[in-house]
Amino acid sequence: VLDSALNQATQVKLAQDFPHVRFYALPNISMAYLVNQGLKLSDRPFFAHMNADVFVEKDSFRHLLELLLADEKLAMVGPAVRNSQGAYQNQGLAYRRYWRRLSREYSLAVPWLSGCLQLVRRSAVLKVGGMDERFRFYNEDMEWCFRLRQAGYELKLVNSEVLHLGGQSTPKRSAFIVEGYRGGYLISKRYHSRLYQALHRSVVALEANFYRHFAQNELKKNAYEQIADMFERQVFAESPFDLELQEDNPIFLTP
């Protein structure tokens, strides 16, 4: 078990309660970094990664694993994710049709799966590589899914429910908003046409210029100032985060 926020008291208790399990406390660089380190430490044929605010049911992993074992073309499966209000996790307008279909089907092929919990086939990952660590927060799960599908694998959403509180461990800082937009556009550059990219830039520019002037709080206003500048200059290589996710990158914030 790898954790980027494992304090000493918890580590001692875990070692006492689960003596057969190895625990690793790693720096909080990114989820992608944590997942990739886990891949290096284990050679099991399947592995799961999940957020700390996900609550699984007794049979969640059995349902997911059974599907992976039955079809070698499947690289990844994920559960039906509900929030604390009982609604399916918001993954954008386009994803709602999958939630509607899932009420009638046990599993269905999807273009991507939420990174809050993914069960993955190791042999597929060995072909396409681990998570891309240039994505520091958000979008790394989606990019990984796109890369697996590009290699010919399938991904499936399974009608086995888990609870995801969502956002409980995310600090209120502008860098998290900026990184979300940066990563989203990196995906557009890799997997979509030039026309799509141009439309993406135009929509974000309109949104950022609106909120930079009319946002009600300084955090949001500051975030959209940075987003507007990033898209105007079309410079997306630099993350707003420093080496770890504790501080904002001063290089990124310099005009």
Side-chain angles (χ1 to χ4, degrees):
V1 175
L2 289 78
D3 198 319
S4 59
L6 195 64
N7 62 51
Q8 189 171 5
T10 304
Q11 200 166 0
V12 170
K13 179 170 173 52
L14 290 172
Q16 292 172 345
D17 294 347
F18 304 96
H20 60 290
V21 176
R22 290 178 295 161
F23 292 95
Y24 298 87
L26 296 178
N28 190 25
I29 294 173
S30 66
M31 183 177 84
Y33 168 79
L34 201 65
V35 170
N36 290 343
Q37 292 304 305
L39 284 167
K40 293 176 183 178
L41 290 167
S42 175
D43 59 357
R44 300 297 177 90
F46 305 100
F47 70 93
H49 70 87
M50 61 186 287
N51 291 4
D53 55 358
V54 172
F55 292 82
V56 298
E57 299 294 333
K58 179 181 178 181
D59 293 323
S60 295
F61 284 105
R62 180 176 64 82
H63 292 156
L64 296 173
L65 186 58
E66 282 177 351
L67 205 64
L68 268 183
L69 287 169
D71 187 355
E72 291 188 359
K73 292 180 180 178
L74 271 180
M76 181 189 295
V77 292
V81 183
R82 291 193 183 271
N83 61 27
S84 56
Q85 286 75 48
Y88 283 126
Q89 185 178 34
N90 181 12
Q91 297 184 128
L93 287 172
Y95 215 88
R96 289 182 183 178
R97 66 183 186 274
Y98 299 119
W99 293 134
R100 288 194 295 269
R101 286 179 56 193
L102 198 63
S103 64
R104 306 185 301 271
E105 303 176 44
Y106 179 67
S107 67
L108 61 139
V110 291
W112 64 280
L113 292 160
S114 170
C116 72
L117 197 168
Q118 295 174 336
L119 186 63
V120 188
R121 186 183 302 275
R122 183 180 178 84
S123 60
V125 169
L126 291 176
K127 289 185 178 179
V128 305
M131 279 190 169
D132 189 335
E133 295 182 26
R134 285 171 290 187
F135 293 83
R136 297 295 305 283
F137 202 92
Y138 304 124
N139 298 294
E140 65 280 272
D141 51 350
M142 183 183 291
E143 192 282 330
W144 208 18
C145 290
F146 285 4
R147 203 168 355 124
L148 285 164
R149 289 182 65 235
Q150 200 174 57
Y153 289 101
E154 292 183 353
L155 322 170
K156 281 195 174 180
L157 189 60
V158 184
N159 196 354
S160 181
E161 294 187 359
V162 301
L163 169 65
H164 182 208
L165 297 182
Q168 299 302 303
S169 59
T170 305
K172 303 300 181 184
R173 282 172 32 216
S174 61
F176 287 92
I177 302 174
V178 177
E179 179 65 17
Y181 280 82
R182 184 186 82 94
Y185 188 68
L186 287 179
I187 288 179
S188 285
K189 288 185 70 176
R190 292 182 189 180
Y191 298 102
H192 296 296
S193 67
R194 290 186 179 181
L195 175 60
Y196 186 101
Q197 294 171 36
L199 289 171
H200 189 155
R201 291 195 303 270
S202 298
V203 170
V204 171
L206 287 170
E207 184 182 10
N209 280 297
F210 175 83
Y211 283 115
R212 74 196 294 190
H213 296 298
F214 300 108
Q216 296 299 308
N217 63 72
E218 287 302 314
L219 184 148
K220 197 169 184 179
K221 187 175 288 189
N222 179 50
Y224 282 101
E225 285 278 359
Q226 295 178 53
I227 292 165
D229 179 66
M230 178 171 61
F231 275 79
E232 284 170 10
R233 295 187 294 120
Q234 295 190 39
V235 178
F236 304 98
E238 192 69 48
S239 171
F241 292 112
D242 210 333
L243 179 60
E244 296 193 20
L245 299 181
Q246 305 304 316
E247 298 180 12
D248 296 347
N249 188 346
I251 299 174
F252 183 88
L253 300 175
T254 303

